[in-house]
């Protein structure tokens, strides 16, 4: 059987696709990022949150292009990244305007769905199928203790919000990646309803970073400014 180690050209192709996926998603300039986001030390848990966001972006690229390689790369990230179930309380506010329930979504960010889609797109490509089989064999259900991650959905012209406690003195990171169809704005409020930070650019990728002065609950609001629903993946350390 063809193994990952015996297919360097295949891994190079996946690496190139990963870089291409990063290139096609809207990003802010380095100066804008420095102005908008504080300088923080990236912990292993924060890096895992960023990895999950990257996996979501790869999945969206594969969905747009109809190619299996991005799905495989996303599955590898999810297999190698320990995650835990979210503990936050989730609420929703739906506007009167009806959402477009027929809109095609990109699917959920789970290893099973990623590899199933990759297998469908791979067709009769034996090399690709061998890589998928090896990843399937490496899956484990015992990976716990990493960032909280969940698939969710924000209806058109509506918002959802989460209530979550964050530890005082430790950098908090909450990252949202949508399906690319609408603009999402994200806000963080403390228990006194003070706005702590926000991400209100013209994309559906939100990165919220702050340092709580003490352990307390925060409300994270995700608002969909578009006329169709947006399928999102949220992750927090």
């Amino acid at each position: 059987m063809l193994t990952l180690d015996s297919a360097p050209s295949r891994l190079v192709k996946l690496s190139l696709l990963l870089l291409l996926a990063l290139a096609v998603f809207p990003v802010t300039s380095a100066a804008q990022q420095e102005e908008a986001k504080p300088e923080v030390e990236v912990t292993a848990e924060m890096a895992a949150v960023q990895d999950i966001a990257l996996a979501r972006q790869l999945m969206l690229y594969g969905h747009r292009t109809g190619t299996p390689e991005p799905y495989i790369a996303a599955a590898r990230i999810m297999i190698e990244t320990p995650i835990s179930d979210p503990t936050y309380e989730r609420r929703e506010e739906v506007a009167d305007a009806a959402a477009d329930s027929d809109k095609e979504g990109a699917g959920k960010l789970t290893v099973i769905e990623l590899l199933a889609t990759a297998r469908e797109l791979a067709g009769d490509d034996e090399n690709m199928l061998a890589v998928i089989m090896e990843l399937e064999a490496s899956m484990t259900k015992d990976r716990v203790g990493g960032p909280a991650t969940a698939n969710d959905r924000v209806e058109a012209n509506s918002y959802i919000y989460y209530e979550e406690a964050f530890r005082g003195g430790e950098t908090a990171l909450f990252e949202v990646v949508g399906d690319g169809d609408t603009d999402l704005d994200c806000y963080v409020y403390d228990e006194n309803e003070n706005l702590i930070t926000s991400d209100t650019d013209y994309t559906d990728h939100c990165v919220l970073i702050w340092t709580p002065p003490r352990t307390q609950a925060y409300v994270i609001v995700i608002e969909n400014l578009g006329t169709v629903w947006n399928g999102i993946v949220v992750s927090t350390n």
Side-chain angles (χ1 to χ4, degrees), residues 12-237:
V12 168
K13 186 175 182 181
L14 291 177
S15 299
L16 291 174
L17 278 165
L18 187 149
L19 294 175
L20 179 60
L22 291 176
V24 300
F25 283 92
V27 294
T28 55
S29 67
Q32 290 173 320
Q33 291 179 358
E34 182 176 356
E35 179 181 355
K37 304 296 185 298
E39 290 289 338
V40 296
E41 179 182 356
V42 178
T43 65
E45 199 171 36
M46 293 175 66
V49 172
Q50 295 170 341
D51 289 342
I52 292 166
L54 173 58
R56 173 60 169 173
Q57 292 173 325
L58 285 166
M59 176 185 179
L60 295 173
Y61 181 70
H63 178 68
R64 287 210 328 267
T65 59
T67 53
E69 289 91 344
Y71 282 96
I72 293 174
R76 178 187 294 279
I77 292 173
M78 296 301 293
I79 289 173
E80 296 177 351
T81 304
I83 60 175
S84 59
D85 293 330
T87 58
Y88 47 69
E89 180 180 358
R90 189 261 201 204
R91 300 181 182 178
E92 181 175 19
E93 295 291 340
V94 181
D96 293 335
D100 183 1
S101 59
D102 295 329
K103 182 177 80 79
E104 182 182 1
K108 294 183 179 180
L109 185 66
T110 65
V111 175
I112 292 177
E113 289 202 21
L114 289 168
L115 292 180
T117 303
R119 181 179 294 278
E120 180 180 349
L121 294 174
D124 297 328
D125 188 327
E126 294 184 0
N127 291 336
M128 196 72 64
L129 293 174
V131 174
I132 294 170
M133 290 178 60
E134 187 154 341
L135 286 175
E136 289 174 335
S138 69
M139 290 173 57
T140 173
K141 298 181 180 180
D142 298 328
R143 298 172 301 110
V144 295
T149 299
N151 296 274
D152 213 325
R153 169 171 166 160
V154 190
E155 299 297 341
N157 301 306
S158 303
Y159 65 89
I160 60 175
Y161 62 96
Y162 306 96
E163 294 183 16
E164 170 77 351
F166 289 87
R167 295 184 293 270
E170 298 183 13
T171 302
L173 171 61
F174 195 99
E175 191 154 358
V176 181
V177 183
D179 61 20
D181 284 347
T182 70
D183 179 18
L184 298 178
D185 285 349
C186 303
Y187 309 86
V188 177
Y189 296 90
D190 67 13
E191 57 190 13
N192 296 315
E193 300 184 358
N194 297 310
L195 178 63
I196 302 303
T197 188
S198 63
D199 188 331
T200 57
D201 60 17
Y202 297 103
T203 73
D204 61 353
H205 183 186
C206 296
V207 180
L208 303 165
I209 302 176
W210 75 102
T211 302
R214 57 182 175 80
T215 299
Q216 61 178 298
Y218 289 84
V219 174
I220 299 94
V221 178
I222 305 172
E223 182 180 10
N224 182 2
L225 303 179
T227 58
V228 296
W229 59 266
N230 194 312
I232 65 173
V233 172
V234 299
S235 301
T236 183
N237 62 336

